[in-house]
Amino acid sequence: MKTRIYDLTLSDGYCNAIQDAAQTIKDGGLVVFPTETVYGLGANALDEKAVSGIFMAKGRPSDNPLIVHVADVSMIAMLADLSEPQAKAVVDTFMPGPITIVLKKNNLVPYTVTAGLETVAIRMPNEKYALDLIRKCQLPIAAPSANISGKPSPTRPEHVLQDMDGKADVILLGENCLYGIESTVLDCTVHPARILRPGAITQEQLAGVIELALSENVSDSDKPKSPGMKYNHYKPNAAVIAVKGNDADVIDYINRAACESSGSAVLGFSELKDAFTVSHFFSLGNKELPQESARVLFAYFRECDRLGVETIYVMCTENEGIGRAYLNRLLKAADQVIEL
Ligand code: TXA
Ligand code: MG
């Protein structure tokens, strides 16, 4: 397939690009578009055949449901039951934004989108390009992250091209993604609501607005509430080793381990840079600012692969705020977790 690629950051041709992408969605094609979390691979959510194309392009298992992207509240009400006060409160407070809510679906939503579930995941991105696209085609857009299944989600234009050039009809390139990590997924079909996937809208923020259930750990043997969480995720080609402990022990461990294996990189906090003897150091930003760590994690995984790094040692944030989302993705990607 010859992919039509547009750079939305150029002032010329913007309307033409959105017009082509919207028509492609209407015609049942596949469009990659930027959002504030990660890039998405979209199709008309109401067209089963188009949605099947997403699963094929990504190599995604068909039992892993998709998120449907909308531009406004009336589109949510068209697809799902929004009568629950807790769902309404979340919509009013956090949408548009980096959060997805799971609601009881209505008949308009095909089971191909929901992987046979009676519920549908819905998100209103806070990103001009994505909203312009949805408004132009006037259709809800089903879209998973625009990576080959299992790989780190693409958060920068060059990463989208690596995975989706030749697989989608249109690619819309924007800036590097603001959050760099997928949306929080919140199940609003249960009382109290439950976080199925941590993201940039944090447990602490949500607890300020609605009652929250404690999240369960999802294991492979259970029938998971969020089917996607059971799969191996976010993996670069390099081995990922997450290292937990106090800074001095972590630095000591990584410096020793890395000198024994060739081709190592470290993802560490900026203030500790000088303490590492490893040749490739990638800064996760300041330890006190986990939003920066979350924003760069996937991009660094891909950069390490580009450099042919064999082992990536990664420092851990505190398990709070957006640090929860960072740790969730890191631990899912990790081949090994060292607790010192
Ligand atoms: O930030 C994001 O959410 C990005 C951008 C493109 O919007 N999308 C994204 O999609 O991360 P994806 O497909 O990579 O992850 C969707 C997650 C999966 O874990 C899936 O199992 C879960 O949402 N999910 C989708 N529908 C669900 C449902 N009805 N019930 C429970 N979980 C659901
Ligand atoms: Mg994904």
Side-chain angles (χ1 to χ4, degrees):
M1 175 189 293
K2 173 94 179 87
T3 302
R4 300 187 296 288
I5 299 169
Y6 297 97
D7 183 348
L8 299 180
T9 65
L10 305 174
S11 49
D12 274 0
Y14 182 81
C15 294
N16 178 42
I18 296 291
Q19 173 62 41
D20 185 10
Q23 192 59 47
T24 301
I25 295 283
K26 285 188 191 169
D27 294 344
L30 298 181
V31 174
V32 174
F33 60 98
T35 83
E36 77 277 38
T37 56
V38 302
Y39 278 76
L41 171 65
N44 176 359
L46 309 181
D47 177 343
E48 295 211 49
K49 191 154 167 276
V51 171
S52 307
I54 295 177
F55 287 92
M56 269 162 32
K58 275 188 64 117
R60 179 174 175 112
S62 61
D63 66 348
N64 191 2
L66 306 178
I67 294 173
V68 178
H69 296 68
V70 300
D72 53 44
V73 179
S74 69
M75 262 178 148
I76 305 180
M78 184 179 94
L79 302 168
D81 176 9
L82 194 51
S83 60
E84 290 283 340
Q86 60 178 3
K88 274 201 196 130
V90 172
V91 170
D92 288 348
T93 314
F94 299 109
M95 289 196 181
I99 186 160
T100 296
I101 51 172
V102 176
L103 300 172
K104 199 167 170 313
K105 82 174 194 75
N106 69 22
N107 291 337
L108 211 55
V109 182
Y111 285 113
T112 324
V113 171
T114 69
L117 297 174
E118 292 301 332
T119 57
V120 59
I122 301 185
R123 162 158 140 73
M124 195 190 300
N126 190 13
E127 150 72 70
K128 176 183 160 35
Y129 305 142
L131 291 172
D132 282 353
L133 172 63
I134 301 167
R135 289 192 184 120
K136 189 76 187 174
C137 64
Q138 281 296 308
L139 286 166
I141 298 183
S145 47
N147 50 288
I148 302 293
S149 206
K151 289 284 164 202
S153 299
T155 60
R156 298 184 178 181
E158 60 269 29
H159 301 157
V160 162
L161 294 173
Q162 277 167 12
D163 279 20
M164 288 298 147
D165 192 3
K167 293 212 162 73
D169 298 284
V170 171
I171 294 181
L172 299 176
L173 299 175
E175 287 87 10
N176 295 344
C177 298
L178 179 63
Y179 293 104
I181 207 160
E182 307 85 349
S183 62
T184 306
V185 178
L186 181 73
D187 185 357
C188 290
T189 66
V190 291
H191 284 274
R194 167 171 294 143
I195 294 176
L196 302 178
R197 178 175 74 182
I201 301 294
T202 63
Q203 179 178 315
E204 293 82 352
Q205 283 173 290
L206 284 164
V209 175
I210 54 164
E211 199 187 333
L212 271 188
L214 288 178
S215 301
E216 291 160 9
N217 283 331
V218 175
S219 83
D220 281 10
S221 55
D222 300 328
K223 186 169 190 290
K225 276 291 283 176
S226 185
M229 298 311 278
K230 73 181 175 190
Y231 290 107
N232 224 339
H233 267 70
Y234 319 121
K235 278 207 171 305
N237 299 327
V240 175
I241 303 185
V243 192
K244 284 185 184 171
N246 72 51
D247 289 348
D249 290 347
V250 169
I251 292 164
D252 191 48
Y253 175 87
I254 293 177
N255 282 341
R256 280 169 204 263
C259 78
E260 282 162 25
S261 54
S262 65
S264 301
V266 57
L267 275 50
F269 298 109
S270 50
E271 61 274 27
L272 305 173
K273 179 177 192 296
D274 293 341
F276 287 101
T277 54
V278 184
S279 52
H280 295 297
F281 177 88
F282 294 93
S283 170
L284 293 169
N286 191 287
K287 194 175 190 173
E288 306 303 317
L289 300 171
Q291 180 157 341
E292 173 64 10
S293 312
R295 196 173 65 77
V296 293
L297 182 69
F298 290 152
Y300 286 164
F301 281 169
R302 285 184 180 253
E303 180 60 10
C304 285
D305 279 351
R306 197 184 65 78
L307 293 170
V309 166
E310 285 169 19
T311 311
I312 313 174
Y313 296 91
V314 191
M315 294 189 80
C316 296
T317 57
E318 298 298 329
N319 192 27
E320 61 190 25
I322 201 168
R324 263 185 243 277
Y326 168 87
L327 279 182
N328 170 270
R329 304 313 190 274
L330 169 59
L331 297 181
K332 276 182 169 290
D335 297 276
Q336 215 185 330
V337 180
I338 307 287
E339 302 209 34
L340 298 170

